């Protein structure tokens, strides 16, 4: 009888503490990393003669290119227009 009571008390304690809060079930969207088969869109990006790019991945600032011999990491720094340049372009569009 004592074992049944202990088991019931343990089970009750586990169910009280096991309930997740509503905030723990939040899902944030993330970009997916996928392998893209090269059908010409990655040609001449690794600047290595005699290597054929088979697959690649893309994101905003970097690419990973897969060849038969290894990987090529391509990192880019993209610089947008200055505030003044943006204002000039907006004036031109009016």
């Amino acid at each position: 009888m004592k074992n049944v009571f202990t088991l019931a008390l343990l089970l009750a304690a586990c169910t009280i503490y096991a309930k997740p809060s509503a905030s723990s079930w939040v899902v944030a969207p993330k970009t997916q990393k996928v392998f893209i088969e090269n059908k010409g869109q990655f040609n001449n990006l690794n600047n290595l003669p005699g290597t054929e790019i088979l697959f690649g991945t893309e994101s905003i600032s970097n690419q990973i290119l897969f060849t038969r011999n290894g990987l090529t990491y391509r990192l880019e720094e993209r610089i947008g227009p200055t505030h003044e340049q943006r204002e000039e372009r907006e004036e031109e569009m009016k």
Side-chain angles (χ1 to χ4, degrees):
M1 184 71 176
K2 188 175 181 180
N3 289 338
V4 172
F5 179 71
T6 305
L7 182 61
L9 185 61
L10 181 63
L11 184 60
C14 288
T15 57
I16 290 171
Y17 290 108
K19 291 182 181 177
S21 65
S23 64
S24 68
W25 291 97
V26 175
V27 176
K30 295 182 181 181
T31 58
Q32 295 181 354
K33 303 289 185 193
V34 296
F35 297 109
I36 304 167
E37 183 180 1
N38 184 21
K39 294 185 178 179
Q41 72 272 27
F42 297 122
N43 289 350
N44 301 321
L45 289 180
N46 63 351
N47 297 327
L48 297 172
T51 59
E52 178 187 5
I53 299 170
L54 304 174
F55 296 92
T57 64
E58 286 189 331
S59 71
I60 293 174
S61 62
N62 62 45
Q63 292 176 323
I64 303 173
L65 308 170
F66 298 84
T67 67
R68 292 189 191 280
N69 299 327
L71 303 173
T72 298
Y73 293 92
R74 183 176 165 88
L75 306 174
E76 296 180 5
E77 181 180 8
R78 299 190 180 189
I79 301 172
T82 63
H83 183 70
E84 292 81 18
Q85 291 171 333
R86 182 171 290 186
E87 286 181 349
E88 288 176 12
R89 289 181 185 170
E90 288 176 359
E91 285 298 321
E92 291 174 0
M93 294 173 64
K94 289 183 180 178

